[in-house]
Amino acid sequence: MALSVGLDTGVSALRAAQTIVDVAAHNIANADTEGYTRQEAALRAIPPVRTYVNGPGLVLNQIGRGVEVERVRRLRDGLIDVQYRDVRGLTDEYHARSNALQQIEVTLDEPSDQGLQALLGRFFNGLREVATAPESIAARSAALEQATNLAAGFNRAARLLTAQQTDLDRSLDVQVGEINARAEEVAALNAKIRIASVAGSPANDLLDRRDLLLDELAGLAGATFEAGPENSVNVLVGGRRLVDNVTVNALATQPDAGNNNLRQVIFASDSAPVTPLGGSLKGIVDSRDVSVAGVLADLDELASSLIAAVNTQHQVGYGLNDETGLTFFTGTGALDIAVDPSLRANPQRLAASAAAGEPGNSANARALAGVQYQPLLNGGTTTIDDGYRAMVAALGVSSRQAQSMEQSQDTLGRHLEVVRQSVSGVSIDEEMTNLVKGQHAYSAAARIITTVDEMLDTLVNRMMR
Amino acid sequence: MTTQTDPRTTILTILAEEAATHERLHTVALDQQAALLDNDPDTLLLLVREMAAMTERVERLEAERLAAVARLTGDPAGAVPLSALSPWFDETAGAALSGLRDALLGTLGRLRITNAENALLARRLMSVGDQSLRALAGSEPPVYTAAGATASPAVAVRAWSA
């Protein structure tokens, strides 16, 4: 072997060896870095020198020139990334839904002594007490107290649900801010990765950072991704590009006149509405517009039906002082239902009697109590009691379903994370085991090479002498 | 009673077998180089075993060749170089001997170059392995002795010379 070729081989092997050490050290240093992908130095043989030598004929002789690092590659499975991000989008969507539904359940506090179910029962029972003692001011006061508690229960639930809706609405601004910040960073990384790729420099750590951001964008906005030119990645939200190579089409919010001026998420450039396919953004919007708004609407329907039915019945009855035509409840819905203040101040005005001049008549009190069993809801097919129970039951089912979906998606996500870690993650034990295994193999190779070398020396000496 | 083959025929047959074995040995050495470059210890160990079996075969063939040379030349050690055997061979067999010798020497030359490269590569990789093992050992949490002092995990360092 020519001396110069031997030196070249040695230098190239040394360089390759140094790169392997550097990569191993980088792996170990980043073993606990979130999103870090294990790297590996891919070696390749330097093409050999071809010479022709005189033998029995003209013989092509190839002299190896050692080894070089072709590239430092990331050990990552793109398919697992796609699966993981799909699951992440669903997990975060159901997490947001589940949180909102659980909060609604806390607000309604059913079944409990302070829930609307109990308050409704106590209100109608109070009216029945009046029916048994129509001339009793104490029974009338107690019934009006229960009516006030019921109204306060409706008010409280409606206030809390409205506050929850407002909180969810406000959180969209935070959500959009987080999405935009990550989109900006992805676009900046696209630019840096392109420069590094053109320069032939490894961009592995930049790719890791970008992958982590893509994971987060999948969770935040149910974003999907497509490969762009020069190692760039485009980010799509609701099928439209949020990041187009190095350009960001930022999101914003604006009041939606068609939805009580609640915020609508739009693309800032042309105000086109965003329809997220998943992620916490979709979970929040759906919770605000479907879950919370649905329960608020149901409560409003319950309250307004109750107000209308009780007032209609109360207005045909007579109080102890023969007053008639009085309203029992004021307001139009759950938020503002209240017992008529004049009634609260004068319990004798409660129209328990069905006829003037008959203070002992309790027919109207019984009719008022009978509102509990009148089919007032759903087009006259469902009582207030049944309607409320059905609403609470449906809410419970939705909440359990959302929790179950969140848990199952979370479990799947953790499984995929484990699979991804097994491909990309750095295991100190595994690195150590591989190294020890490699050392054994290299030692064995070195020994057999020595043996063969000695044998060849002997053979050549014997034959050349 | 056993019939002894003509030692000239034996020598030519053995040389042909040795040439073929060394060609195969060279192929294994190239595979070994690929395994070293791929950092594939499992394949490397299989190739090491194959190479060891082949060196035993070469040694056995060489012993048989030396015995045949001893029978042909009367030299008890059979230590007559191939180039000096022509007086015992006629012109045709002598040409065959010369051709086999050249072919064998060519294969041996190539094998020595590949072997030298592999030796260098194995040494470098062992050195890298040592450095990495030290780095890994340093990253492990400390092990405490009964007296409370820290005991660093031992890293076995072995040096082999090719």
Side-chain angles (χ1 to χ4, degrees):
Chain A
M1 177 164 48
L3 184 61
S4 62
V5 174
L7 281 175
D8 282 351
T9 308
V11 169
S12 73
L14 191 59
R15 281 192 192 129
Q18 192 55 54
T19 306
I20 293 170
V21 171
D22 291 346
V23 170
H26 193 57
N27 280 342
I28 293 160
N30 285 285
D32 294 327
T33 302
E34 187 189 4
Y36 179 74
T37 304
R38 185 153 52 105
Q39 299 178 11
E40 179 185 81
L43 304 181
R44 73 170 173 199
I46 300 172
V49 175
R50 289 178 163 77
T51 57
Y52 287 91
V53 295
N54 284 320
L58 200 57
V59 176
L60 174 63
N61 198 11
Q62 297 200 6
I63 301 173
R65 290 196 296 151
V67 59
E68 65 183 357
V69 174
E70 185 181 16
R71 66 194 171 101
V72 177
R73 64 181 170 222
R74 298 193 312 152
L75 298 170
R76 199 164 179 112
D77 186 331
L79 184 61
I80 296 173
D81 280 345
V82 170
Q83 291 173 322
Y84 175 81
R85 286 169 190 155
D86 281 351
V87 169
R88 176 87 182 256
L90 282 172
T91 306
D92 288 11
E93 178 190 341
Y94 279 99
H95 179 68
R97 281 171 184 264
S98 173
N99 276 353
L101 288 164
Q102 284 180 62
Q103 199 175 333
I104 296 171
E105 286 187 303
V106 170
T107 296
L108 295 182
D109 198 15
E110 296 290 357
S112 81
D113 197 40
Q114 292 306 310
L116 279 172
Q117 187 80 50
L119 293 174
L120 275 166
R122 286 205 287 271
F123 165 63
F124 287 114
N125 285 339
L127 291 173
R128 285 188 194 96
E129 291 294 325
V130 173
T132 58
E135 292 170 284
S136 164
I137 296 298
R140 287 165 177 266
S141 295
L144 289 169
E145 184 63 28
Q146 298 300 348
T148 304
N149 289 343
L150 173 63
F154 270 115
N155 299 158
R156 176 185 165 278
R159 258 199 327 273
L160 288 175
L161 287 169
T162 305
Q164 184 183 353
Q165 195 176 40
T166 306
D167 281 350
L168 287 167
D169 190 53
R170 284 185 186 145
S171 73
L172 285 177
D173 276 342
V174 177
Q175 196 81 1
V176 162
E178 291 189 2
I179 292 166
N180 284 342
R182 281 158 181 80
E184 292 285 354
E185 200 178 340
V186 169
L189 284 167
N190 275 344
K192 286 180 187 170
I193 289 165
R194 183 177 64 180
I195 292 166
S197 300
V198 170
S201 310
N204 291 341
D205 294 337
L206 299 175
L207 291 167
D208 277 351
R209 175 65 191 157
R210 191 176 67 185
D211 277 334
L212 188 64
L213 291 167
L214 299 185
D215 287 351
E216 291 175 353
L217 280 167
L220 283 167
T224 54
F225 312 97
E226 60 182 22
E230 293 161 326
N231 265 336
S232 67
V233 167
N234 297 328
V235 180
L236 291 86
V237 174
R240 187 172 167 185
R241 282 182 188 168
L242 170 71
V243 177
D244 188 348
N245 199 343
V246 297
T247 309
V248 176
N249 187 9
L251 303 185
T253 60
Q254 68 177 17
D256 181 2
N259 189 20
N260 295 323
N261 279 328
L262 292 171
R263 288 167 176 79
Q264 181 182 35
V265 181
I266 54 167
F267 283 102
S269 59
D270 59 4
S271 299
V274 174
T275 312
L277 301 174
S280 46
L281 187 64
K282 184 172 192 298
I284 290 170
V285 171
D286 285 357
S287 296
R288 182 196 67 181
D289 294 345
V290 179
S291 305
V292 179
V295 173
L296 259 177
D298 285 348
L299 276 186
D300 257 343
E301 190 190 354
L302 271 173
S304 63
S305 299
L306 183 74
I307 292 167
V310 170
N311 282 351
T312 301
Q313 191 61 50
H314 192 257
Q315 280 165 343
V316 298
Y318 296 85
L320 288 175
N321 53 5
D322 281 346
E323 280 183 284
T324 189
L326 299 176
T327 56
F328 190 101
F329 286 120
T330 61
T332 55
L335 201 56
D336 61 355
I337 182 175
V339 177
D340 190 311
S342 68
L343 201 58
R344 282 184 66 190
N346 301 291
Q348 66 271 26
R349 285 182 167 176
L350 201 160
S353 171
E358 294 180 16
N361 181 323
S362 64
N364 204 50
R366 283 199 302 276
L368 281 168
V371 168
Q372 185 174 13
Y373 304 114
Q374 283 178 17
L376 301 172
L377 304 172
N378 299 330
T381 58
T382 311
T383 65
I384 287 177
D385 255 9
D386 289 345
Y388 182 71
R389 260 199 297 273
M391 185 192 88
V392 171
L395 179 66
V397 168
S398 298
S399 180
R400 298 297 100 72
Q401 275 179 339
Q403 284 174 50
S404 168
M405 280 296 288
E406 183 197 355
Q407 280 165 10
S408 62
Q409 292 299 320
D410 190 47
T411 304
L412 187 55
R414 283 175 200 276
H415 170 70
L416 287 169
E417 184 64 41
V418 169
V419 174
R420 189 152 77 165
Q421 280 294 316
S422 71
V423 178
S424 314
V426 180
S427 158
I428 301 280
D429 287 347
E430 191 189 332
E431 298 269 336
M432 186 82 92
T433 306
N434 286 339
L435 281 168
V436 170
K437 197 165 140 188
Q439 290 299 77
H440 284 312
Y442 303 144
S443 297
R447 271 177 288 171
I448 193 67
I449 288 166
T450 305
T451 306
V452 171
D453 243 16
E454 287 167 356
M455 183 184 79
L456 293 178
D457 273 348
T458 308
L459 278 175
V460 170
N461 281 335
R462 275 184 199 149
M463 291 177 188
M464 294 295 282
R465 273 181 306 172
Chain B
M1 179 180 154
T2 56
T3 53
Q4 283 216 320
T5 314
D6 179 356
R8 279 172 285 267
T9 310
T10 306
I11 289 167
L12 291 175
T13 306
I14 290 171
L15 280 176
E17 268 193 62
E18 279 197 42
T21 306
H22 280 99
E23 278 294 345
R24 175 67 194 141
L25 207 51
H26 185 231
T27 305
V28 173
L30 290 172
D31 289 346
Q32 206 175 55
Q33 190 165 79
L36 284 164
L37 291 174
D38 286 346
N39 199 2
D40 179 357
D42 296 328
T43 304
L44 191 59
L45 283 173
L46 291 175
L47 293 167
V48 164
R49 285 191 201 107
E50 188 175 352
M51 205 172 235
M54 291 172 82
T55 56
E56 284 173 14
R57 177 173 168 73
V58 168
E59 281 168 4
R60 185 173 53 75
L61 288 170
E62 263 298 281
E64 288 174 14
R65 187 182 69 81
L66 291 175
V69 170
R71 276 199 291 127
L72 181 69
T73 61
D75 183 304
V80 180
L82 289 177
S83 56
L85 286 180
S86 47
W88 282 276
F89 284 76
D90 62 24
E91 194 178 337
T92 311
L97 178 70
S98 176
L100 282 169
R101 175 180 169 275
D102 287 346
L104 188 54
L105 285 174
T107 305
L108 293 180
R110 286 195 295 278
L111 181 55
R112 292 182 93 175
I113 289 170
T114 307
N115 228 23
E117 289 170 356
N118 289 356
L120 186 63
L121 207 50
R123 275 204 306 274
R124 296 297 180 206
L125 288 168
M126 280 164 64
S127 163
V128 168
D130 280 343
Q131 289 181 52
S132 300
L133 278 170
R134 285 177 200 285
L136 282 168
S139 72
E140 288 285 284
V143 176
Y144 292 94
T145 64
T150 53
S152 301
V155 178
V157 180
R158 303 179 73 182
W160 295 95
S161 167

